[in-house]
Amino acid sequence: MKVLVVGGGAREHIMAEVAVRDGAELFVALNNKNPGLLDLSSEFLFCKDMNPIAISKWAHEKNIDLALIGPESALASGIVDNLNTLDIPAMGPTKSASRIEVDKEFMRDLSSEFSFPGQLDYKVCSTVEEARHFLESFGKDCAIKPIGLTGGKGVKVMGDQLHSIDEAVNFCEEIIDTQMSGYAKVVLEERAIGEEFTLQAFISGEIVIPMPAAQDHPHALEGDIGAITGGMGSYSQADGLLPFLSQSDYDSALETICATAAAMNSINSPYRGILYGQFILTSDGPRLVEYNARFGDPEAMNALSVLNSNFLEVSMDIALGNLKSVDFEPKATVCKYVVPEGYGTTPRSDCSLEVDSTLLSSSGASIYYAAVNLEENNQISTTTSRSAAVVGKGDSIESAEKVTEAGLKAVSGMGLYVRHDIATEASISKRVSHMENLRS
């Protein structure tokens, strides 16, 4: 089967690896020279602007049987619609269905109209005066967000990055005046207090099959401080839950995802692809923070590392509306990102990355390359974004974390940084204690 993977990051690297494992002849469209993807592919299209029409035309010329779409920007540009017009099945939502991520106003209005479980109070404002009035009258801290896509880095939270109503209003003004993410509007959402977690699901219409839960670590620095980034790492547990997440909590979050799939069907915009639900577990149960219309990054590494089912069959079933069952290996996973120093604020762009393949292999860990480039001298150069994800598996989070740390010893280079505290016993104990205190 000829399979196209669209995107050039670590998420796409693992998607490609699992696709090749399951029998794909791989074709890749990307805008960076990711060495992992280049090594796996039969042919690649270097497309700097990731133009959906150009990529779809190339896929048609190459007689692609199935397309797997990685980044949200490609989905938002309508690449699935373009591919479908050429009779190429694609595992990913249409432009209309991807509004669940691309347009936060649409998502919040949908959740209100269809009474999703775990809603948050919210207000969409188009003027600074309207935003100030809401913030002053609401009486609670808010998360302040642009409407559209910002690469996971456009949100600021009162009581965290914002320390007064005036600071919050100034950020609202910045979002509105600059039309951040393409909209002269701002979303103000009730700030939920608890532990964040991710629940991803394979969805085809109203058929929903969930994946193991994971917990991302968005803060740049150890101890969960510093700038909010695209994600410094994540972990999952062998039983699909998390140390602070019970089966009933998991089921409540899944109920919200199922309600979302049903709602999308009801508005004649059926969802086919991966739906990523970001939740906060509060003292009253899970609350929905936002949706992504694709695999999370880094959470894709957790889910796909333990996927037993044939990824190509599952993806084709989703694209054709025939999703049946999906099986996962009962293993824990830990992913830690190697990033340039300063990532999240003032990242370096002059780093190089070296991997000792022998040492990596002996560690049992895997590496997935992200925003890096393979140069003509076979050196790997970094950019200002994340460089590589190192992933370990084990019977427990503790054993998986040890594998990941062993794998990280195989990665070297000038000016690189890793959050080594991710998935450690101390970090997990802090999260468990946090939830126990909230619920006591």
Side-chain angles (χ1 to χ4, degrees):
M1 180 187 292
K2 290 185 174 182
V3 176
L4 169 66
V5 169
V6 176
R11 167 182 51 211
E12 290 76 33
H13 186 181
I14 193 170
M15 289 168 67
E17 182 182 86
V18 178
V20 170
R21 176 200 74 182
D22 292 339
E25 179 186 356
L26 188 70
F27 295 73
V28 181
L30 70 177
N31 62 4
N32 61 301
K33 294 179 180 178
N34 182 311
L37 285 165
L38 297 182
D39 184 58
L40 288 166
S41 62
S42 297
E43 294 186 46
F44 70 93
L45 174 68
F46 185 71
C47 188
K48 190 171 183 180
D49 61 359
M50 296 298 283
N51 183 289
I53 296 175
I55 294 172
S56 299
K57 180 182 177 183
W58 185 70
H60 184 63
E61 292 170 354
K62 298 300 176 181
N63 296 311
I64 294 298
D65 299 303
L66 173 68
L68 308 174
I69 315 302
E72 60 273 25
S73 56
L75 295 167
S77 69
I79 191 168
V80 171
D81 306 74
N82 293 119
L83 289 163
N84 288 344
T85 298
L86 297 171
D87 294 323
I88 300 173
M91 200 275 283
T94 62
K95 184 175 183 177
S96 174
S98 69
R99 286 181 296 164
I100 201 75
E101 173 176 7
V102 174
D103 187 340
K104 294 183 181 68
E105 182 177 16
F106 166 79
M107 189 279 280
R108 284 296 172 201
D109 288 349
L110 188 76
S111 71
S112 178
E113 179 183 354
F114 288 89
S115 301
F116 293 178
Q119 293 183 71
L120 292 171
D121 291 333
Y122 75 102
K123 176 73 173 178
V124 178
C125 301
S126 54
T127 68
V128 177
E129 293 74 20
E130 187 181 11
R132 178 179 287 278
H133 176 73
F134 178 80
L135 291 169
E136 289 178 342
S137 60
F138 187 54
K140 302 177 187 176
D141 285 344
C142 288
I144 299 174
K145 305 179 178 182
I147 294 283
L149 299 175
T150 57
K153 304 166 192 173
V155 178
K156 292 187 178 181
V157 180
M158 296 173 67
D160 194 346
Q161 295 86 15
L162 304 170
H163 304 289
S164 68
I165 286 181
D166 284 342
E167 286 188 11
V169 171
N170 288 340
F171 185 50
C172 291
E173 184 174 17
E174 178 186 347
I175 291 172
I176 293 170
D177 287 354
T178 65
Q179 296 188 27
M180 189 182 295
S181 77
Y183 297 82
K185 294 180 179 181
V186 63
V187 182
L188 309 178
E189 295 177 356
E190 167 194 357
R191 181 188 183 185
I193 303 298
E195 284 295 325
E196 292 193 26
F197 70 95
T198 301
L199 182 57
Q200 302 176 110
F202 295 104
I203 297 184
S204 186
E206 290 197 56
I207 302 170
V208 177
I209 298 179
M211 305 180 206
Q215 186 174 43
D216 181 26
H217 293 65
H219 288 87
L221 304 178
E222 295 194 358
D224 302 309
I225 61 174
I228 299 296
T229 72
M232 295 295 293
S234 51
Y235 67 90
S236 65
Q237 193 166 275
D239 62 0
L241 305 176
L242 293 168
F244 57 85
L245 185 76
S246 69
Q247 186 66 55
S248 62
D249 295 327
Y250 180 101
D251 292 343
S252 293
L254 179 57
E255 184 182 352
T256 300
I257 290 177
C258 291
T260 306
M264 294 298 287
N265 262 15
S266 295
I267 63 170
N268 296 316
S269 188
Y271 197 96
R272 292 181 179 179
I274 308 300
L275 187 62
Y276 164 121
Q278 183 184 0
F279 294 87
I280 290 186
L281 181 61
T282 72
S283 58
D284 297 322
R287 309 291 292 277
L288 176 62
V289 177
E290 64 183 15
Y291 279 127
N292 291 335
R294 33 71 189 184
F295 275 118
D297 188 347
E299 295 95 335
M301 271 65 82
N302 303 107
L304 290 176
S305 291
V306 295
L307 180 65
N308 275 338
S309 298
N310 186 296
F311 186 39
L312 303 183
E313 292 177 1
V314 170
S315 299
M316 186 66 83
D317 285 347
I318 289 171
L320 300 179
N322 299 320
L323 183 60
K324 302 173 188 69
S325 63
V326 183
D327 181 53
F328 294 94
E329 181 183 14
K331 294 283 188 180
T333 66
V334 172
C335 171
K336 299 189 186 188
Y337 253 111
V338 179
V339 303
E341 289 177 351
Y343 173 63
T345 51
T346 54
R348 295 180 60 153
S349 59
D350 59 345
C351 306
S352 61
L353 185 74
E354 296 181 11
V355 178
D356 184 327
S357 57
T358 301
L359 184 57
L360 181 71
S361 178
S362 65
S363 74
S366 300
I367 191 166
Y368 300 101
Y369 293 103
V372 296
N373 286 288
L374 183 65
E375 305 295 347
E376 291 183 1
N377 58 5
N378 283 327
Q379 296 297 304
I380 300 172
S381 64
T382 68
T383 62
T384 56
S385 191
R386 294 175 294 182
S387 303
V390 175
V391 182
K393 287 198 301 183
D395 292 329
S396 65
I397 295 170
E398 180 183 12
S399 62
E401 196 269 338
K402 288 179 179 177
V403 173
T404 302
E405 283 294 320
L408 285 165
K409 289 180 170 61
V411 183
S412 61
M414 177 186 69
L416 300 175
Y417 172 73
V418 177
R419 266 197 66 175
H420 290 287
D421 66 331
I422 291 170
T424 59
E425 182 180 357
S427 176
I428 288 174
S429 294
K430 182 177 76 171
R431 286 159 169 73
V432 172
S433 296
H434 184 208
M435 284 312 308
E436 288 176 347
N437 291 335
L438 284 175
R439 287 181 152 174
S440 63

